[in-house]
Amino acid sequence: AHSLEQWKATSSLSWLVAAIAEISSSDPNAPALIESADKIRPGSPAFATVTYHTARLLIGLGKTDEARAKLDAMLGNRDELPRSTMNQIAALRMSVARNLNELLEYAPRTPLGLTDDADSDELPSELDGQGLKELVAGPLFDQDGAGALTRWLPLSVLMQAASSRTLPPRLRGQVALATFIRAILLGNAAAARDLAPLVTQSFPQLKPPINEWLAAQGPDAQRFAAAFMMLQNPGLRFYVDPGPGRITELDKIDSLRDNWWPSLVAQNFQKQTYPGFLFAAQKKSADEEWQKLSAINAPNFLCSEAIDWAQTHPNDERSPEALYRCLRAVHLGCSNSQGTVLARSAFVLLHRHYPQSSWAATGSLWYKGDGCPGS
């Protein structure tokens, strides 16, 4: 209110910036602010700020075509603006994407740097390692892009995204892998088969377990092969990570328990909704699929499959390893009280049926399920 009062009294550029940056599109003063902002030329130091907020207000007023035109003009001058500014503009542009291709074009962002809060003090990361240098070079998904690809798009649209050349190869591989795991968990074997070549192209280390899954005969064998693959690779998950995501290798245990899809708690889907280009049927599919996926607890799902398979196929050489890895999933994944019951059952089965195996010797303890990191 004070900014508006000062702007009206002085017509000052500084007070225009202060007012337009805070006002909502429902405020009756918004049209007048937009009109004044339109008079600011590109040479002004305030141009990027007032143009961004003008587009934001236009979107709120339902004038999305006008907003897109302003944002696209700024995106055309990306070399003249700071990287942080371009990330903000791309985020706003993504929110009014007219199709999947536009969403994928504006979802990637180039980070300004990386921070580390492992010691509770968020500090800039030391970029000595080549892997971190490559991450900072980007592009990466931000929260909005990762959220859209995780929560608000149905499997049918995600399959298109997984093969879209609009995304850089690294991000395209990330989407393909998450969509592949999603298809398996949803019981859509046909979709998973179509995605398998894309996944093995980006993640050649997964080719052996994926080929084993492809060769499995019957739904029970397929489910176990999929569960065994996920037990062996605690970094596999059905959602797309924002930022650098899980930087530990897929088949390694993360020391901070970022295993078997726990870090989804960091995403805030309440701030988003469906992309505007989705049809009603696609929105319904996205909701139904999300309801199924969000109800799956990774250690519980994987341990149930491992125990059932060991009981019905005791001579399968994979069974003792699967039972051992089940103990690890409950201990170091996102587990709960049901995981406690399953871990004990897997432990008893492992030591009763395979007492001489190396997996029984390694798995000398079982642990109670005790929740997700940060929960």
Side-chain angles (χ1 to χ4, degrees), residues 175-184 192-193 195-196 199 210 213 229:
V175 173
L177 180 57
T179 307
F180 173 70
I181 298 300
R182 177 178 294 237
I184 289 177
R193 287 180 180 276
L195 290 161
V199 176
I210 288 179
W213 176 80
M229 173 174 58

Side-chain angles (χ1 to χ4, degrees), residues 28-50:
N29 293 287
L33 286 168
I34 292 173
E35 183 179 356
S36 291
D38 281 340
K39 297 175 183 177
I40 307 303
R41 305 268 60 90
S44 169
F47 178 75
T49 302
V50 297

Side-chain angles (χ1 to χ4, degrees), residues 111-225:
L112 279 71
L114 295 177
T115 59
D116 190 333
D117 62 354
D119 58 357
S120 300
D121 292 325
E122 191 166 7
L123 301 172
S125 293
E126 296 292 334
L127 301 179
D128 297 331
Q130 184 61 31
L132 287 179
K133 290 180 180 178
E134 292 174 358
L135 283 174
V136 171
L140 304 173
F141 288 120
D142 207 341
Q143 291 278 359
D144 57 345
L149 291 162
T150 295
R151 168 61 183 91
W152 303 108
L153 295 180
L155 179 64
S156 59
V157 177
L158 287 170
M159 291 184 67
Q160 299 174 46
S163 59
S164 173
R165 296 291 171 177
T166 302
L167 285 175
R170 181 178 177 275
L171 298 186
R172 188 165 66 244
Q174 187 180 350
V175 173
L177 180 57
T179 307
F180 173 70
I181 298 300
R182 177 178 294 237
I184 289 177
L185 294 175
L186 291 171
N188 193 331
R193 287 180 180 276
D194 289 343
L195 290 161
L198 299 175
V199 176
T200 55
Q201 181 180 354
S202 296
F203 302 91
Q205 70 272 32
L206 292 177
K207 190 170 184 177
I210 288 179
N211 284 342
E212 193 170 280
W213 176 80
L214 289 169
Q217 300 296 315
D220 290 344
Q222 280 189 334
R223 282 199 306 273
F224 174 72

Side-chain angles (χ1 to χ4, degrees), residues 306-307 310-311 314 316-328 342-366:
I307 291 169
Q311 289 174 334
D316 190 321
E317 63 181 12
R318 297 171 296 175
S319 290
E321 180 183 350
L323 293 171
Y324 163 74
R325 294 188 181 278
C326 167
L327 304 179
R328 299 274 282 172
L342 291 167
R344 185 181 186 281
S345 298
F347 180 84
V348 171
L349 194 57
L350 174 62
H351 287 269
R352 181 175 296 166
H353 288 212
Y354 313 100
Q356 304 305 316
S357 69
S358 60
W359 301 108
T362 305
S364 58
L365 296 171
W366 65 274

Side-chain angles (χ1 to χ4, degrees), residues 34-114:
I34 292 173
E35 183 179 356
S36 291
D38 281 340
K39 297 175 183 177
I40 307 303
R41 305 268 60 90
S44 169
F47 178 75
T49 302
V50 297
T51 304
Y52 171 88
H53 287 289
T54 296
R56 175 181 63 82
L57 293 172
L58 289 170
I59 292 171
L61 292 169
K63 300 179 179 181
T64 52
D65 287 341
E66 293 181 44
R68 290 190 195 99
K70 290 183 177 295
L71 295 170
D72 288 345
M74 294 186 74
L75 288 165
N77 297 317
R78 61 179 68 243
D79 294 336
E80 302 174 12
L81 294 169
R83 189 185 304 171
S84 58
T85 301
M86 296 310 302
N87 286 340
Q88 296 269 63
I89 295 168
L92 195 58
R93 183 63 177 83
M94 194 199 85
S95 71
V96 288
R98 289 170 289 196
N99 49 53
L100 177 63
N101 190 62
E102 285 192 353
L103 187 148
L104 299 179
E105 180 179 356
Y106 301 116
R109 316 281 160 71
T110 303
L112 279 71
L114 295 177

